[in-house]
Amino acid sequence: PQPLTDLLRRCLLLLVLSLPIVIASFVLLPRMPALVSVPGAGPSTTGLDDQLRPGSIASLAQSDALAARILFSDQRPPPPDERYWRVLVHHHFDGEGWSLGQLPLVAKGHPLAPLQTQTTSTQRWLVEPNGLQWRPWGGQGLPSDPSLRITADGTLWEQTPLNTRERYQILNTSRLAGWNAVPPTPDDRMLPAGSNPRLEALGRSWASQSPGAAGRLALAEQWFKSQPFVYTLEPGSLPRNAPWDAFLFEQQAGFCEHFAAGFTALMRAAGLPARVVVGYQGGSWQHPLASEPYLMLRQSDAHAWSEVWIDGQGWIA
């Protein structure tokens, strides 16, 4: 019948007209792998969590899932060695793993200063959902959204968990936010006595050899360089009893979370306040044909590092 023929002809025409758009979208837009994994179905996957227990992870799989995109007002991302994007700070150490601890989130969070009419630099973030209340950022500048708060430990916090894709802006990104001068809390010094005796003894030896923070850090650097540590995504699990003694003196193989956790515990044993920061490091610079260039962060860019408090200087990474 004629009506059916006309309908088929129109459908075919629509298909032909939409085909270039479909092809362009496939070529130009980034693809996202599945964001959901089944617990126990394989190795742990890189990503962020409010608990840090690398000793229980026998192997780590890298995920290419998209984490965030960052657009820069001057289209110039930081140099690769300065691309550290903080999300969480772990203060509490129980001898085995790390967690957030008792944090002064909003009550003592860094207050937002009045926004200037002109900004020297701006970052526009497009972040994928991760279920956390903390948003990634570079640690400098001010968020334009008043619902985002800079906390006392330098995290960007919002009351609502990130369950959907979200946009926000960080203004004046060359301006220090002030969190790195906030003194350490008791959690930043806590080290359960006897939980890792060899670690504790080594840290105490550095404290006895040098009265200052710089000297203890230099001793730590010399010791790590003298040891045959290996970076690997398949380190094997650590024992429940004295796990960081096993990592530092026996296994000596792991990924960034192992090294950050072990080094931070050693700094506390040496008498220096220290904490573990979890976020992203790096990112790849993208030049799409149909939009602005941006820095792409994937879950495989998840990273952990240490911050140590030095009197007169504040928190130093």
Side-chain angles (χ1 to χ4, degrees), residues 149-233:
R149 296 299 304 254
I150 302 172
T151 66
D153 60 2
T155 59
L156 194 63
W157 182 86
E158 187 171 6
Q159 186 173 3
T160 305
L162 184 61
N163 294 323
T164 60
R165 181 181 291 179
E166 183 176 294
R167 299 176 184 268
Y168 51 86
Q169 293 189 66
I170 306 296
L171 310 178
N172 293 329
T173 53
S174 59
R175 173 181 174 180
L176 294 176
W179 56 264
N180 62 320
V182 177
T185 67
D187 259 356
D188 296 317
R189 303 176 184 272
M190 185 178 63
L191 186 70
S195 60
N196 293 273
R198 297 174 69 184
L199 178 155
E200 296 167 46
L202 180 60
R204 286 195 302 266
S205 72
W206 296 339
S208 65
Q209 294 177 61
S210 176
R216 298 176 198 182
L217 287 168
L219 289 169
E221 181 181 7
Q222 294 172 11
W223 184 81
F224 272 93
K225 287 183 176 179
S226 71
Q227 301 298 309
F229 283 102
V230 176
Y231 185 93
T232 176
L233 298 179

Side-chain angles (χ1 to χ4, degrees), residues 54 73 124 127 134 141 177 183 195 220 228 250-251 272 275 287 291 298 303-304 308 315:
S73 57
R124 287 178 287 154
V127 186
W134 293 264
S195 60
E250 299 168 14
Q251 185 168 298
L272 300 179
R275 60 198 190 187
H287 291 270
S291 62
R298 295 192 179 277
H303 189 57
V308 179
W315 290 102

Side-chain angles (χ1 to χ4, degrees), residues 3 36 61 76 82 90 119 128 130 133 159 167 178 183 189 195 206 208 216 222 240 256 261 274 290 305 312 317:
V36 179
R76 295 174 59 187
E82 297 179 11
H90 294 294
T119 58
E128 300 299 322
N130 58 23
Q133 291 177 268
Q159 186 173 3
R167 299 176 184 268
R189 303 176 184 272
S195 60
W206 296 339
S208 65
R216 298 176 198 182
Q222 294 172 11
R240 291 290 300 273
C256 61
W305 61 95

Side-chain angles (χ1 to χ4, degrees), residues 180 184 212-214 217 272-273 307-317:
N180 62 320
L217 287 168
L272 300 179
E307 285 184 341
V308 179
W309 173 264
I310 300 178
D311 290 336
Q313 298 183 49
W315 290 102
I316 304 299

